[in-house]
């Protein structure tokens, strides 16, 4: 037999109102009219004194001991101190200044007697509450849990049968259940509980909780908000989340869609106290445990108190139907709704509908990726999940450099956003620390970090600095470069130029493509020949009356098709721009934060020191934060004519994200792993190239990799159509990649840096299959599988 508390077996006291009135006046000095109030195990009266004030007089069950009573009293006093706004009853002192007294009743039994202030309101029934009221109910519960966080009491260790953590102890009571369906459902629920909850229950955060926060034990005002929290008789130290599963059971009773009520109460709770992943995943089973307790304890008690059958069995039918709902698909419904295992908000909007509604973003918005666009709801490491729970290996997105939704980064953002988010007109350690750490990774001399919010802004500021410092107005970029969207920077982005547009202030150089460009590897001097074009660009600017202020280079030539020229090329062009008095801006928006493996920053492989370095994309793993790093000398000259401020740039939350990204890169050895996985991927792709003649070239460094498709055996002419079919074929088979290059014939492979060799194998096998199908006569039609 489980450990049955004696308050459940012992009958409540039955004092006459006159006797109780006498006690109220003698013990508490409050004389008034008494009316009886219901209670399962105690005897309660409402006391109205002469002045119209109302109180609750409580005579405890004879089996109630002093430790339980002091536990409740101390908890109430603690709550009133920590969150005085919570509507709990205030203990009233006796004429001796104590919070309770022991009295003998005429029958000779001793009872503990207490008096409290009276709470106004009426109990509500679940079906009468809208979702807003249910969410507010959850929020009140979360406040109650918070207010008790720091509370300790020697009686907290008592073991209650109502503690969902101990649901397995209910098993012996199941034999009292006479209804076969109930017996089967409760048994199955406990089997699930033993398998899923028991092994991990000890690792849940725990504290004293109310443990019976239900609609029966709360009062509501006319606004449907909790106006009174009653009955602290089940207080115990247990998993915090048990409060929530108990509240869920109560609001889900008798509703047409119990799941939406469960979801609403959890959402309301989470608006005050975030619910941990493990807690979310256990909630459906803890809810079931609560229902089993309701059914099993009632079945057992009704045998001892048959005369009280109606009261005891009051919620059994509801509990049974909710348990049947869980068993018939409700577990899965709740898991989906609560997003157990994810923090993604569940979505009710169809993909098609969203696609229609996307018009609101305007016709200039870049098109959706893939012929069958993706509607994603969740990310985790290298994986993305769509609304149907289908997962995709992300081999395209370079922003989530440490993996999608890395918990340390997400937590850092959440924590800082709960504490403070301001701007750089106030001191904050996050911005200073991030700036120092970034400067510490760069060559000596690059000792200033200016924060902005995007790669475009970083390049725009770099351009302003370069022009201000050199007093010149000309820019040099590669032929298909992309550096951002501002008016100034889009002039530096030929990839972005409107057809026929060439800004007067910008000259281009051919990107160093040794495979299909103007100088090829057959020429031993091909790289130097590319570098020499820098001088042509300078001449071009001079012909228009301009001198070069800066050369901007994306160290990975991403939009030029992903190119890896020899290091001498980089040194050569940088020497040439410096020789003209212009600056070198290393755009690390794509290649920064370890993507190329051997170094944290892409320019490092050239062995050069840039005058300005711009960072963005991966810097916050998805949170907008970007920066310009340069020398004090450059900034000091700029500062002679203007100062710089960006409202959001370098705010404490953005910098918390940036710091967390650096922490994870270091602690998980991410940059060190890139070379290994990158080489395995490049080697595997080269093996595929031997089998598939449509691959003209595989090139890349670390995890920035391009696969150029070609339409004939010379390996030169571009085949953009094939690249598109392959990209869509991969998407259909669960792997996301993109295309790039002036001809759009290059597969762009840029996964989060956390991918491992297993992911690499998956990518290679899938690409092999897709290429086989695409190269067959009739080929792959995207979306057909
Ligand atoms: N520079 C490079 C090399 C980029 O690839 C990009 C974005 N693709 C940018 C700058 C602009 O960054 P953002 O989109 O954050 O403004």
């Amino acid at each position: 037999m489980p450990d049955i508390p004696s308050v459940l077996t012992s009958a409540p006291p039955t004092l006459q109102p006159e006797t109780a009135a006498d006690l109220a006046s003698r013990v508490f000095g409050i004389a008034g009219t008494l009316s009886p109030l219901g209670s399962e195990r105690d005897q309660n009266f409402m006391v109205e004194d002469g002045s119209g004030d109302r109180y609750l007089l409580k005579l405890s069950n004879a089996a109630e001991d002093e430790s339980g009573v002091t536990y409740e009293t101390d908890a109430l006093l603690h709550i009133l101190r920590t969150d005085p706004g919570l509507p709990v009853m205030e203990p009233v002192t006796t004429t001796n200044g104590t919070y309770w007294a022991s009295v003998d009743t005429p029958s000779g039994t001793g009872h503990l007697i207490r008096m409290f202030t009276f709470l106004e309101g009426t109990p509500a029934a679940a079906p009468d509450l809208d979702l807003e009221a249910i969410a507010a109910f959850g929020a009140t519960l979360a406040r109650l849990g918070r207010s008790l966080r720091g509370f300790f009491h020697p009686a907290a260790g008592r073991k209650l049968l109502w503690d969902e953590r101990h649901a397995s102890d209910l098993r012996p009571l199941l034999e009292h259940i006479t209804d076969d369906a109930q017996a089967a459902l409760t048994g199955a629920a406990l089997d699930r509980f033993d398998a899923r909850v028991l092994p991990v229950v000890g690792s849940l955060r725990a504290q004293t909780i109310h443990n019976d926060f239900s609609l029966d034990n709360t009062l509501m005002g006319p606004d449907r908000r909790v106006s009174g929290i009653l009955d602290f008789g089940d207080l115990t130290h247990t998993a915090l989340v048990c409060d929530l599963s108990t509240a869920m059971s109560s609001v889900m009773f008798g509703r047409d869609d119990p799941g939406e009520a469960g979801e609403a109460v959890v959402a309301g709770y989470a608006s005050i106290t975030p619910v941990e992943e493990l807690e979310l995943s256990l909630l459906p089973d803890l809810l079931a445990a609560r229902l089993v307790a309701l059914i099993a304890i009632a079945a057992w008690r009704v045998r001892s108190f048959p005369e009280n059958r109606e009261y005891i069995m009051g919620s059994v039918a509801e509990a049974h139907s909710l348990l049947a709902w869980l068993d018939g698909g409700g577990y899965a419904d709740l898991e989906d709704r609560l997003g157990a295992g994810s923090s993604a908000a569940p979505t009710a909007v169809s993909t098609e509908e969203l696609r229609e509604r996307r018009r609101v973003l305007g016709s200039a918005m870049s098109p959706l990726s893939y012929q069958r666009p993706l509607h994603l709801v969740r990310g985790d490491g290298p994986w993305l999940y769509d609304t149907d729970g289908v997962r995709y290996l992300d081999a395209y997105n370079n922003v989530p450099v440490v993996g999608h939704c890395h918990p340390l980064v997400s937590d850092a953002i959440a924590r800082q956003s709960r504490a403070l988010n301001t701007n750089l007109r106030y001191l904050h350690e996050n911005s200073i620390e991030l700036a120092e750490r970034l400067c510490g990774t760069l060559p000596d001399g690059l000792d200033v970090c200016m924060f902005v919010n995007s790669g475009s802004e970083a390049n725009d500021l770099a351009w302003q600095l370069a022009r201000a410092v050199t007093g010149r107005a000309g820019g040099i970029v590669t032929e298909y470069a992309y550096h951002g969207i501002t008016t100034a920077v889009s002039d530096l982005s030929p990839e972005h130029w409107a057809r026929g547009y060439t800004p007067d202030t910008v000259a281009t150089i051919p990107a160093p493509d040794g495979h299909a460009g103007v100088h090829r590897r057959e020429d031993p001097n091909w790289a130097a020949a590319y570098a020499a074009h820098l001088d042509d660009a300078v001449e071009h600017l001079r012909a228009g009356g301009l001198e070069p202020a800066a050369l901007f280079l994306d160290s990975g030539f991403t939009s030029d098709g992903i190119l890896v020229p020899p290091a001498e090329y980089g040194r050569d062009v940088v020497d040439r721009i410096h020789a003209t008095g212009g600056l070198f801006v290393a755009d690390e928006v794509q290649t920064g934060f370890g993507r190329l493996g051997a170094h944290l920053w892409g320019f490092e492989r050239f062995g050069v020191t840039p005058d300005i370095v711009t960072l963005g994309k991966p810097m916050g793993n998805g949170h907008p934060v970007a920066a310009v790093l340069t020398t004090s000398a450059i900034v000091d000259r700029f500062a002679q004519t203007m100062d710089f401020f960006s409202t959001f740039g370098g705010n404490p939350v953005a910098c918390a994200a940036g710091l967390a990204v650096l922490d994870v890169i270091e602690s998980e050895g991410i940059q060190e792993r890139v070379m290994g996985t990158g080489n395995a991927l490049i080697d595997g792709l080269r093996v595929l190239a031997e089998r598939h003649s449509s691959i003209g070239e595989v090139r890349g460094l670390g995890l920035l990799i391009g696969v150029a498709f070609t339409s004939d055996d010379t390996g030169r002419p571009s085949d953009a159509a094939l690249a598109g079919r392959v990209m869509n074929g991969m998407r259909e088979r669960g792997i996301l990649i993109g295309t790039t290059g002036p001809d759009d014939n290059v597969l762009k492979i840029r996964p989060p840096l956390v991918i491992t060799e297993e992911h690499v194998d998956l990518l290679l096998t899938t690409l092999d299959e897709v290429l086989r199908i695409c190269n067959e006569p009739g080929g792959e039609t995207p979306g057909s599988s």
Side-chain angles (χ1 to χ4, degrees), residues 544-558:
L546 297 169
E547 285 292 323
L551 163 71
F552 278 70
L553 280 190
D554 160 6
S555 315
F557 303 92
T558 320

Side-chain angles (χ1 to χ4, degrees), residues 454-456 459 482-484 554 587 589-590 617:
S454 67
S456 301
N459 284 326
Y482 181 74
H483 294 290
D554 160 6
D587 180 341
V589 172
Q590 286 277 350
K617 283 181 179 257

Side-chain angles (χ1 to χ4, degrees), residues 470 472 476 534-535 538 542 548-551 570-586 607-612 634:
T470 60
R472 299 166 168 198
I476 301 176
L534 199 280
D535 300 343
V538 173
R542 285 183 178 151
L551 163 71
R571 272 199 291 281
D572 202 345
V573 281
V574 172
D575 284 349
R576 285 170 194 265
I577 189 72
H578 278 160
T580 71
L583 305 187
F584 169 49
V585 178
V608 299
T609 298
D611 302 289
I612 303 177
I634 288 178

Side-chain angles (χ1 to χ4, degrees), residues 170-498:
L170 293 167
R171 220 177 263 279
L173 296 188
L174 301 189
E175 68 186 41
H176 300 287
I177 300 174
T178 49
D179 178 295
D180 287 347
Q182 285 177 15
L185 282 173
T186 48
L190 288 188
D191 290 346
R192 274 183 62 113
F193 183 93
D194 288 351
R196 291 161 184 250
V197 183
L198 262 194
V200 290
V201 78
S203 64
L204 294 170
R205 51 184 167 161
Q207 62 170 73
T208 284
I209 66 168
H210 182 283
N211 201 33
D212 197 11
F213 189 89
S214 62
L215 293 174
D216 287 341
N217 283 332
T218 45
L219 303 171
M220 293 214 175
D223 59 354
R224 296 289 179 188
R225 299 296 183 264
V226 176
S227 62
I229 306 170
L230 310 175
D231 195 354
F232 283 71
D234 289 314
L235 274 184
T236 193
H237 188 284
T238 186
L240 178 64
V241 68
C242 294
D243 249 351
L244 192 47
S245 41
T246 299
M248 273 170 86
S249 72
S250 168
V251 297
M252 289 168 80
F253 278 162
R255 290 184 71 98
D256 295 339
D257 182 351
E260 69 171 12
E263 182 185 350
V265 77
V266 175
Y269 188 97
S271 69
I272 304 285
T273 300
V275 185
E276 294 180 357
E277 285 290 305
L278 178 62
E279 294 172 329
L280 279 178
S281 70
L282 298 183
L283 268 173
D285 282 296
L286 289 167
L287 164 66
R290 170 76 179 176
L291 303 173
V292 173
L294 282 169
I295 297 170
I297 295 175
W300 162 72
R301 286 195 76 204
V302 82
R303 291 167 77 109
S304 315
F305 303 101
E307 70 288 355
N308 226 352
R309 179 176 191 90
E310 206 176 323
Y311 184 87
I312 292 173
M313 298 297 277
S315 40
V316 167
E318 303 272 34
H320 175 202
S321 69
L322 199 48
L323 201 53
W325 175 82
L326 279 174
D327 195 59
Y331 283 117
D333 179 61
L334 270 184
E335 275 161 18
D336 269 7
R337 286 175 185 275
L338 303 181
S342 88
S343 352
T347 169
V349 188
S350 80
T351 304
E352 273 323 300
E353 185 191 334
L354 265 193
R355 204 174 167 177
E356 269 296 297
R357 285 165 54 192
R358 190 178 187 256
R359 268 190 300 209
V360 70
L361 304 181
S363 55
M365 175 52 74
S366 184
L368 289 163
S369 297
Y370 310 114
Q371 295 211 338
R372 284 204 312 135
L374 287 164
H375 180 181
L376 300 170
V377 290
R378 187 159 79 84
D380 180 13
W383 298 104
L384 288 167
Y385 296 79
D386 72 10
T387 44
D388 296 325
V390 176
R391 78 175 185 177
Y392 299 85
L393 178 67
D394 185 0
Y396 179 70
N397 287 293
N398 61 342
V399 170
V401 69
V402 296
H404 286 279
C405 309
H406 193 292
L408 290 183
V409 180
S410 306
D411 283 356
I413 293 169
R415 264 201 317 273
Q416 185 59 50
S417 70
R418 281 198 292 270
L420 177 77
N421 203 11
T422 50
N423 62 64
L424 290 187
R425 290 214 172 94
Y426 308 100
L427 285 170
H428 197 278
E429 43 274 68
N430 286 6
S431 48
I432 307 298
E433 191 185 331
L434 181 58
E436 285 173 351
R437 277 177 72 177
L438 288 170
C439 289
T441 66
L442 289 167
D444 287 350
L446 292 164
D447 54 1
V448 172
C449 174
M450 299 165 87
F451 288 111
V452 286
N453 311 287
S454 67
S456 301
E457 281 184 54
N459 284 326
D460 194 284
L461 177 58
W463 184 225
Q464 289 187 52
L465 288 169
R467 289 192 316 162
V469 165
T470 60
R472 299 166 168 198
I476 301 176
V477 294
T478 54
E479 268 171 2
Y480 210 63
Y482 181 74
H483 294 290
I485 56 169
T486 69
T487 307
V489 171
S490 61
D491 274 0
L492 294 167
S493 303
E495 190 204 27
H496 213 54
W497 289 349

